[in-house]
Amino acid sequence: MAPVAAFSALGTTAKDLLYGSAKAGKFQYDKVLNVTSKTADGVEFNISAVGKDDKLDMALKGSYAAAKYSVVAILAQSGKLQLASTYKELVPGLNVTLTGTVPDVESGKVQVDYTALPHVNARAAATLTAAPKLDVAVTTGVNDLTVGGEASYDTSTSAITKWVVGAGYTRADYQAAVTLSDKNEVTGLVAHNVTPDTRIGAEVVRDLGKGTTTFAAGLAKTSPDGALTKLKLDNNGVVSVLYEQDLKARTKLAVSGQFDALNLNKAPKFGFGYNINY
């Protein structure tokens, strides 16, 4: 029996196509450089530099993953140190993650993921403060159908601050999802693998309170040499384009652009990412 997807995974294929991810290609309008290396004993180091306007932000990341646990540390240019540690299978199906930022004493957070029960995927997270904020997400499903929801609760006000419910349907060549949020918005997502190297997708958001609807549609195509081309168009006439290619082994270049097709006098946006893995 296949495991039930987490609530955050509903509509992931369409979201990755339209908004991007590290694996699916991300529209990037800054100037980004990433250099990654890995030691013989499995410690991975990453140096990133992000140039935006006339400012350059750099960060150093170190990570290590073993069979049962993983540790990540990120030192930002501001001097803050982000820490995360995950212990897997504390008991069967239970993973625990601790995160926090030094020196921010209010940033501590614990997250628990549980997948041992048949047809259930559950996640709970809480801030480590005197009045913690709680996030809970649960999904259940059978075969290709998944339903669930997530909610946030603030113990200081004894109130639910946000919630979302939704359902998803996944087949070998397409994925569809629909959600309803506390903002009175209904969101529909669909993605279709037209061929092994071509994918199309769309998102429709209906604001039930305002009576307005927004659309976005996208196309992704992978060429025989592995190059990725993505195109996105929304109902405001904004066109986003991405081209990503491995220049040589362990080196990848991504170039993005965005312009307003309904107002060509508006300045376009451009950005690039260059990744080197040793």
Side-chain angles (χ1 to χ4, degrees):
M1 180 182 65
V4 177
F7 186 79
S8 59
L10 295 184
T12 296
T13 306
K15 292 176 185 177
D16 286 351
L17 172 61
L18 297 172
Y19 301 105
S21 66
K23 292 183 178 180
K26 185 176 182 179
F27 297 106
Q28 176 60 255
Y29 306 115
D30 298 322
K31 304 171 185 65
V32 180
L33 172 65
N34 280 295
V35 180
T36 303
S37 65
K38 195 169 186 177
T39 66
D41 55 2
V43 180
E44 185 172 282
F45 294 100
N46 172 266
I47 300 174
S48 64
V50 180
K52 187 173 184 178
D53 298 326
D54 58 349
K55 184 180 179 181
L56 181 67
D57 287 325
M58 300 186 69
L60 173 63
K61 176 182 177 182
S63 61
Y64 179 77
K68 285 286 189 177
Y69 67 92
S70 64
V71 179
V72 178
I74 303 174
L75 179 62
Q77 189 168 311
S78 62
K80 291 186 177 182
L81 179 64
Q82 301 175 45
L83 300 171
S85 179
T86 298
Y87 194 90
K88 303 175 183 178
E89 300 292 320
L90 187 62
V91 298
L94 182 69
N95 297 341
V96 179
T97 301
L98 292 171
T99 60
T101 301
V102 179
D104 186 357
V105 295
E106 298 289 319
S107 65
K109 191 173 186 179
V110 59
Q111 176 177 299
V112 177
D113 294 270
Y114 189 64
T115 58
L117 293 176
H119 306 293
V120 174
N121 186 308
R123 171 177 292 176
T127 57
L128 301 177
T129 58
K133 296 180 180 179
L134 308 176
D135 298 310
V136 178
V138 179
T139 52
T140 184
V142 59
N143 297 329
D144 304 314
L145 178 65
T146 303
V147 296
E150 64 179 5
S152 297
Y153 182 79
D154 190 339
T155 60
S156 65
T157 58
S158 299
I160 296 175
T161 56
K162 68 175 182 178
W163 57 263
V164 184
V165 295
Y169 187 73
T170 301
R171 297 289 290 177
D173 62 338
Y174 72 92
Q175 184 186 72
V178 61
T179 62
L180 171 66
S181 74
D182 62 293
K183 296 179 180 179
N184 216 19
E185 290 182 347
V186 177
T187 301
L189 292 156
V190 62
H192 177 212
N193 297 326
V194 182
T195 66
D197 59 7
T198 303
R199 175 178 293 167
I200 59 175
E203 178 187 58
V204 181
V205 181
R206 176 69 175 177
D207 190 317
L208 300 178
K210 298 179 180 178
T212 58
T213 305
T214 59
F215 290 85
L219 165 71
K221 187 173 181 62
T222 304
S223 63
D225 64 355
L228 172 67
T229 303
K230 292 178 70 172
L231 176 68
K232 175 187 172 185
L233 172 66
D234 67 27
N235 62 283
N236 294 317
V238 176
V239 179
S240 305
V241 181
L242 166 71
Y243 181 79
E244 183 179 276
Q245 183 172 28
D246 292 330
L247 301 180
K248 56 182 180 179
R250 301 184 179 183
T251 303
K252 180 180 289 186
L253 174 67
V255 181
S256 299
Q258 186 182 81
F259 65 94
D260 190 337
L262 302 180
N263 181 11
L264 296 179
N265 292 322
K266 186 176 180 179
K269 297 179 181 179
F270 296 100
F272 70 86
Y274 191 64
N275 296 332
I276 304 173
N277 289 285
Y278 289 107

mmCIF file of all heavy atoms in Angstrom, residues 31 45-46 49 67 75 95 97 103 110 116 122 127 135 142 153 164 174 176 188 231-232 240 242 244 249 271:
data_model
loop_
_atom_site.group_PDB
_atom_site.id
_atom_site.type_symbol
_atom_site.label_atom_id
_atom_site.label_comp_id
_atom_site.label_asym_id
_atom_site.label_seq_id
_atom_site.Cartn_x
_atom_site.Cartn_y
_atom_site.Cartn_z
ATOM 1 N N LYS A 31 20.231 37.520 -8.729
ATOM 2 C CA LYS A 31 21.462 36.885 -9.214
ATOM 3 C C LYS A 31 21.961 35.961 -8.121
ATOM 4 O O LYS A 31 22.306 36.414 -7.033
ATOM 5 C CB LYS A 31 22.502 37.947 -9.573
ATOM 6 C CG LYS A 31 22.005 38.963 -10.600
ATOM 7 C CD LYS A 31 22.986 40.102 -10.755
ATOM 8 C CE LYS A 31 22.431 41.158 -11.694
ATOM 9 N NZ LYS A 31 21.224 41.826 -11.159
ATOM 10 N N PHE A 45 28.830 20.945 2.417
ATOM 11 C CA PHE A 45 28.961 22.387 2.627
ATOM 12 C C PHE A 45 28.410 23.114 1.412
ATOM 13 O O PHE A 45 28.575 22.668 0.274
ATOM 14 C CB PHE A 45 30.416 22.783 2.848
ATOM 15 C CG PHE A 45 31.025 22.248 4.109
ATOM 16 C CD1 PHE A 45 31.836 21.132 4.083
ATOM 17 C CD2 PHE A 45 30.765 22.868 5.329
ATOM 18 C CE1 PHE A 45 32.392 20.633 5.247
ATOM 19 C CE2 PHE A 45 31.317 22.381 6.498
ATOM 20 C CZ PHE A 45 32.131 21.260 6.458
ATOM 21 N N ASN A 46 27.733 24.234 1.678
ATOM 22 C CA ASN A 46 27.194 25.048 0.607
ATOM 23 C C ASN A 46 27.417 26.524 0.911
ATOM 24 O O ASN A 46 27.138 26.988 2.015
ATOM 25 C CB ASN A 46 25.689 24.774 0.433
ATOM 26 C CG ASN A 46 25.030 25.736 -0.546
ATOM 27 O OD1 ASN A 46 24.479 26.759 -0.154
ATOM 28 N ND2 ASN A 46 25.100 25.413 -1.819
ATOM 29 N N ALA A 49 25.337 32.978 -2.572
ATOM 30 C CA ALA A 49 25.405 34.435 -2.675
ATOM 31 C C ALA A 49 24.229 34.894 -3.524
ATOM 32 O O ALA A 49 24.020 34.386 -4.631
ATOM 33 C CB ALA A 49 26.717 34.875 -3.305
ATOM 34 N N ALA A 67 21.469 7.455 8.562
ATOM 35 C CA ALA A 67 20.272 6.643 8.369
ATOM 36 C C ALA A 67 19.141 7.060 9.303
ATOM 37 O O ALA A 67 17.972 7.081 8.920
ATOM 38 C CB ALA A 67 20.604 5.173 8.573
ATOM 39 N N LEU A 75 24.636 29.641 8.578
ATOM 40 C CA LEU A 75 25.118 30.904 9.132
ATOM 41 C C LEU A 75 24.856 32.006 8.111
ATOM 42 O O LEU A 75 25.414 31.991 7.005
ATOM 43 C CB LEU A 75 26.611 30.824 9.449
ATOM 44 C CG LEU A 75 27.247 32.099 10.008
ATOM 45 C CD1 LEU A 75 26.608 32.485 11.342
ATOM 46 C CD2 LEU A 75 28.754 31.917 10.170
ATOM 47 N N ASN A 95 8.788 10.673 13.071
ATOM 48 C CA ASN A 95 9.977 11.511 12.898
ATOM 49 C C ASN A 95 9.806 12.786 13.712
ATOM 50 O O ASN A 95 8.716 13.378 13.737
ATOM 51 C CB ASN A 95 10.187 11.874 11.427
ATOM 52 C CG ASN A 95 10.451 10.664 10.557
ATOM 53 O OD1 ASN A 95 10.820 9.595 11.057
ATOM 54 N ND2 ASN A 95 10.275 10.818 9.262
ATOM 55 N N THR A 97 11.525 16.680 14.523
ATOM 56 C CA THR A 97 12.449 17.706 14.051
ATOM 57 C C THR A 97 12.459 18.882 15.023
ATOM 58 O O THR A 97 11.390 19.372 15.418
ATOM 59 C CB THR A 97 12.058 18.212 12.653
ATOM 60 O OG1 THR A 97 12.058 17.119 11.740
ATOM 61 C CG2 THR A 97 13.030 19.271 12.163
ATOM 62 N N PRO A 103 20.747 34.105 17.865
ATOM 63 C CA PRO A 103 20.426 34.103 19.308
ATOM 64 C C PRO A 103 18.940 34.316 19.629
ATOM 65 O O PRO A 103 18.620 34.698 20.750
ATOM 66 C CB PRO A 103 21.253 35.280 19.800
ATOM 67 C CG PRO A 103 21.173 36.261 18.665
ATOM 68 C CD PRO A 103 21.140 35.438 17.397
ATOM 69 N N VAL A 110 9.304 22.600 17.505
ATOM 70 C CA VAL A 110 9.378 21.145 17.402
ATOM 71 C C VAL A 110 8.280 20.677 16.453
ATOM 72 O O VAL A 110 7.156 21.179 16.489
ATOM 73 C CB VAL A 110 9.242 20.468 18.785
ATOM 74 C CG1 VAL A 110 7.922 20.821 19.443
ATOM 75 C CG2 VAL A 110 9.390 18.951 18.643
ATOM 76 N N ALA A 116 2.583 5.949 10.581
ATOM 77 C CA ALA A 116 2.494 4.513 10.829
ATOM 78 C C ALA A 116 1.078 3.961 10.666
ATOM 79 O O ALA A 116 0.899 2.798 10.338
ATOM 80 C CB ALA A 116 3.011 4.185 12.227
ATOM 81 N N ALA A 122 -0.019 12.412 9.389
ATOM 82 C CA ALA A 122 -0.273 13.477 10.359
ATOM 83 C C ALA A 122 1.009 14.240 10.661
ATOM 84 O O ALA A 122 2.093 13.661 10.734
ATOM 85 C CB ALA A 122 -0.850 12.900 11.647
ATOM 86 N N THR A 127 5.636 26.008 18.533
ATOM 87 C CA THR A 127 6.738 26.874 18.922
ATOM 88 C C THR A 127 7.068 26.620 20.385
ATOM 89 O O THR A 127 6.184 26.327 21.198
ATOM 90 C CB THR A 127 6.371 28.351 18.728
ATOM 91 O OG1 THR A 127 5.180 28.649 19.486
ATOM 92 C CG2 THR A 127 6.113 28.650 17.247
ATOM 93 N N ASP A 135 0.528 24.171 14.842
ATOM 94 C CA ASP A 135 0.138 23.882 13.463
ATOM 95 C C ASP A 135 -0.114 22.385 13.352
ATOM 96 O O ASP A 135 0.743 21.579 13.732
ATOM 97 C CB ASP A 135 1.229 24.295 12.471
ATOM 98 C CG ASP A 135 1.509 25.783 12.506
ATOM 99 O OD1 ASP A 135 0.557 26.565 12.432
ATOM 100 O OD2 ASP A 135 2.697 26.159 12.604
ATOM 101 N N VAL A 142 -7.339 6.779 0.091
ATOM 102 C CA VAL A 142 -7.393 5.411 -0.387
ATOM 103 C C VAL A 142 -7.190 5.444 -1.898
ATOM 104 O O VAL A 142 -7.716 6.327 -2.585
ATOM 105 C CB VAL A 142 -8.739 4.741 -0.010
ATOM 106 C CG1 VAL A 142 -9.915 5.497 -0.604
ATOM 107 C CG2 VAL A 142 -8.748 3.287 -0.430
ATOM 108 N N TYR A 153 -3.288 27.285 15.471
ATOM 109 C CA TYR A 153 -3.966 27.672 16.697
ATOM 110 C C TYR A 153 -3.011 28.466 17.577
ATOM 111 O O TYR A 153 -1.885 28.031 17.834
ATOM 112 C CB TYR A 153 -4.459 26.426 17.444
ATOM 113 C CG TYR A 153 -5.218 26.717 18.720
ATOM 114 C CD1 TYR A 153 -6.543 27.115 18.682
ATOM 115 C CD2 TYR A 153 -4.596 26.575 19.958
ATOM 116 C CE1 TYR A 153 -7.246 27.368 19.856
ATOM 117 C CE2 TYR A 153 -5.278 26.819 21.135
ATOM 118 C CZ TYR A 153 -6.615 27.218 21.085
ATOM 119 O OH TYR A 153 -7.294 27.474 22.242
ATOM 120 N N VAL A 164 -7.219 25.425 6.299
ATOM 121 C CA VAL A 164 -7.400 25.047 4.892
ATOM 122 C C VAL A 164 -7.849 23.594 4.853
ATOM 123 O O VAL A 164 -7.312 22.757 5.593
ATOM 124 C CB VAL A 164 -6.098 25.191 4.066
ATOM 125 C CG1 VAL A 164 -6.363 24.872 2.596
ATOM 126 C CG2 VAL A 164 -5.502 26.572 4.204
ATOM 127 N N TYR A 174 -1.502 12.522 -14.509
ATOM 128 C CA TYR A 174 -2.025 13.834 -14.114
ATOM 129 C C TYR A 174 -2.307 13.877 -12.621
ATOM 130 O O TYR A 174 -2.419 12.850 -11.954
ATOM 131 C CB TYR A 174 -3.277 14.209 -14.910
ATOM 132 C CG TYR A 174 -4.521 13.424 -14.553
ATOM 133 C CD1 TYR A 174 -5.407 13.887 -13.583
ATOM 134 C CD2 TYR A 174 -4.824 12.226 -15.197
ATOM 135 C CE1 TYR A 174 -6.554 13.175 -13.259
ATOM 136 C CE2 TYR A 174 -5.966 11.513 -14.883
ATOM 137 C CZ TYR A 174 -6.835 11.999 -13.910
ATOM 138 O OH TYR A 174 -7.966 11.286 -13.594
ATOM 139 N N ALA A 176 -4.664 16.426 -9.756
ATOM 140 C CA ALA A 176 -5.611 17.521 -9.548
ATOM 141 C C ALA A 176 -5.861 17.704 -8.063
ATOM 142 O O ALA A 176 -5.813 16.742 -7.285
ATOM 143 C CB ALA A 176 -6.926 17.236 -10.269
ATOM 144 N N GLY A 188 -8.099 25.756 -7.311
ATOM 145 C CA GLY A 188 -8.030 24.521 -8.072
ATOM 146 C C GLY A 188 -6.702 24.417 -8.790
ATOM 147 O O GLY A 188 -6.220 25.403 -9.363
ATOM 148 N N LEU A 231 7.434 28.121 -19.211
ATOM 149 C CA LEU A 231 6.706 29.337 -19.581
ATOM 150 C C LEU A 231 5.454 29.422 -18.717
ATOM 151 O O LEU A 231 4.729 28.439 -18.559
ATOM 152 C CB LEU A 231 6.316 29.297 -21.054
ATOM 153 C CG LEU A 231 5.461 30.465 -21.573
ATOM 154 C CD1 LEU A 231 6.280 31.747 -21.560
ATOM 155 C CD2 LEU A 231 4.943 30.168 -22.979
ATOM 156 N N LYS A 232 5.211 30.609 -18.161
ATOM 157 C CA LYS A 232 4.035 30.824 -17.318
ATOM 158 C C LYS A 232 3.341 32.113 -17.737
ATOM 159 O O LYS A 232 3.997 33.123 -18.019
ATOM 160 C CB LYS A 232 4.445 30.907 -15.844
ATOM 161 C CG LYS A 232 3.292 31.246 -14.890
ATOM 162 C CD LYS A 232 3.809 31.488 -13.480
ATOM 163 C CE LYS A 232 2.722 32.019 -12.568
ATOM 164 N NZ LYS A 232 3.232 32.363 -11.218
ATOM 165 N N SER A 240 6.270 34.791 -17.583
ATOM 166 C CA SER A 240 7.518 34.388 -16.935
ATOM 167 C C SER A 240 8.159 33.265 -17.739
ATOM 168 O O SER A 240 7.466 32.341 -18.168
ATOM 169 C CB SER A 240 7.267 33.918 -15.496
ATOM 170 O OG SER A 240 6.588 34.908 -14.741
ATOM 171 N N LEU A 242 11.716 30.614 -18.070
ATOM 172 C CA LEU A 242 12.897 30.034 -17.435
ATOM 173 C C LEU A 242 13.593 29.098 -18.412
ATOM 174 O O LEU A 242 12.935 28.314 -19.107
ATOM 175 C CB LEU A 242 12.501 29.246 -16.179
ATOM 176 C CG LEU A 242 13.566 28.318 -15.583
ATOM 177 C CD1 LEU A 242 14.686 29.117 -14.939
ATOM 178 C CD2 LEU A 242 12.953 27.355 -14.560
ATOM 179 N N GLU A 244 16.930 26.424 -18.152
ATOM 180 C CA GLU A 244 17.880 25.824 -17.219
ATOM 181 C C GLU A 244 18.600 24.676 -17.909
ATOM 182 O O GLU A 244 17.966 23.825 -18.533
ATOM 183 C CB GLU A 244 17.122 25.325 -15.991
ATOM 184 C CG GLU A 244 17.980 24.741 -14.890
ATOM 185 C CD GLU A 244 17.135 24.309 -13.702
ATOM 186 O OE1 GLU A 244 16.816 25.163 -12.860
ATOM 187 O OE2 GLU A 244 16.782 23.122 -13.647
ATOM 188 N N ALA A 249 29.305 18.509 -16.374
ATOM 189 C CA ALA A 249 29.035 17.715 -15.180
ATOM 190 C C ALA A 249 29.101 18.570 -13.919
ATOM 191 O O ALA A 249 30.069 19.308 -13.709
ATOM 192 C CB ALA A 249 30.034 16.563 -15.091
ATOM 193 N N GLY A 271 16.977 37.524 -14.149
ATOM 194 C CA GLY A 271 17.801 36.950 -13.098
ATOM 195 C C GLY A 271 18.462 35.682 -13.586
ATOM 196 O O GLY A 271 18.096 35.133 -14.632
#
